């Protein structure tokens, strides 16, 4: 380390005199791993105006202070690169130094870039997604407070994944979501030219299944339908919450999408919508067929209206979830019922009846089939039934 520090301090500032006529350019040289590196300052002055002993432009020359400041800044930049690599215990080669020196933005703090990028990006995405991004970046900050781009390589990300897994106790699905957010910022940095390669691009993550798909059974849904038809809860917020929940069970909609559905989006045989979570990315229209019970709920809320939101005067999501937990107790449902059960219940029942993963993918508005495979467990019984057919053959 002592030798490294000595090399860091041994700069030579000199001129390259060309034929001894006119101005001569000033250079700075130093040694890295016993290899001489020469850096141009883009400053040229007459040889008689340069002090070769002190390595500065003489004070008698016009703008000498500014030119000497540039020389000092370049020396500081060189020193900064050397110190950062030494503290990070990373080997600095000639090629790496030249790359960093030519692109000083490489030393920019990743979090500073994220804050700047969010000023534009956050205008395109919803508040819940913004919260997710900030949470993921806070996780990364807990691992390291300041991260220059030069440190963000694949090995750094592998160590971060181990940190999330071992020290934070996060599950693979959560880790994958964290890395996915970081990937998006690195992709933006690459597009801007701050990095040449996205270090997360080739990173292989553990395969995982999103187990956050709680639902109620077909029998439990039937109980809720009976409570609704009998007006067990009278016409109050509990009855309204139950009706809204059944709407989600029959429509496949997330609570936010269900609230946002307008009458103009409802047709004779289906309705269309754009998933809120996809509006800031690649939005596409999703069409969902209308079943008989869904049509009855829709008709109840039309009230002769031709436009505007289908649902009016709903209580908050938090209050709806509170009401659903009460409804579950009355119905004898042991699960802690909440609005998210509705969309998952639709998917589970649809797949158990249709066996069609691709059709479910389209109805759910999933980007790829991997998202739909969350519900594939309902096909396990069909596999068992299929294999059981061979039991008829007696050997």
């Amino acid at each position: 380390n002592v030798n490294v520090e000595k090399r860091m301090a041994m700069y030579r500032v000199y001129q390259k005199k060309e034929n001894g006529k006119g101005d001569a350019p000033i250079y700075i040289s130093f040694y890295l791993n016993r290899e001489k590196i020469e850096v141009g300052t883009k400053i040229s002055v007459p040889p008689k105006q340069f002090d070769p002993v002190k390595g500065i432009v003489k004070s008698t020359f016009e703008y000498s202070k500014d030119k000497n400041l540039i020389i000092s800044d370049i020396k500081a930049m060189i020193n900064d690169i050397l110190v950062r690599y030494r503290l990070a215990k990373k080997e600095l080669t000639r090629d790496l130094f030249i790359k960093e020196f030519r692109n000083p933005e490489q030393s920019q703090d990743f979090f500073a870039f994220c804050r700047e990028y969010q000023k534009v990006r956050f205008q395109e995405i919803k508040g819940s997604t913004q919260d997710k991004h900030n949470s993921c970046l806070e996780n990364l900050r807990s691992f390291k407070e300041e991260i220059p781009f030069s440190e963000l390589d694949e090995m750094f990300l592998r160590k971060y994944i181990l940190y999330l897994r071992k020290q934070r106790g996060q599950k693979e699905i959560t880790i994958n979501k964290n890395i996915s957010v970081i990937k998006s910022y690195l992709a933006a940095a690459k597009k801007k030219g701050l990095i040449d390669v996205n270090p997360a691009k080739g990173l292989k993550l553990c395969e995982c299944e999103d187990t956050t798909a709680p639902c109620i059974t077909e029998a439990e849904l039937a109980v809720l339908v009976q409570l609704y038809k009998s007006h067990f809860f009278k016409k109050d917020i509990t009855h309204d919450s139950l009706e809204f929940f059944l709407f989600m069970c029959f429509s496949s909609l997330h609570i936010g999408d269900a609230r946002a559905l307008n009458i103009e989006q409802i047709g004779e045989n289906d309705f269309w919508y754009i998933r809120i979570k996809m509006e800031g990315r690649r939005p596409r229209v999703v069409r969902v067929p209308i079943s008989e019970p869904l049509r009855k709920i829709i008709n109840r809320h039309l009230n002769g209206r031709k436009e505007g939101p289908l649902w009016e005067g709903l209580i908050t999501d938090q209050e709806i979830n509170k009401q659903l937990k009460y409804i579950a107790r009355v119905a004898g449902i042991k699960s802690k019922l909440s609005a998210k059960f509705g969309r998952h219940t639709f998917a589970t029942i649809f797949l158990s009846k249709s066996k069609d993963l691709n059709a479910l993918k389209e109805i759910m508005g999933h980007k790829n089939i991997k998202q739909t495979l969350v519900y594939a467990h309902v096909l396990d019984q069909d596999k068992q039934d299929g294999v059981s057919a061979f039991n008829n053959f007696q050997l």
Side-chain angles (χ1 to χ4, degrees), residues 1 52 56 59 108 119 130 237 246-247 302 313 330-331 380 392:
N1 286 344
I56 60 173
S59 60
Q108 179 181 346
K119 291 178 182 178
Q130 293 179 25
I237 59 171
L246 292 176
F247 176 80
L302 288 177
V330 173
D380 289 345
N392 295 326

Side-chain angles (χ1 to χ4, degrees), residues 228 243 290-301:
Y228 171 73
E243 184 176 47
I290 298 175
S291 62
E292 289 184 14
L294 180 60
R295 173 58 70 185
K296 287 183 179 180
I297 294 176
I298 289 173
N299 288 342
R300 279 181 51 83
H301 283 268

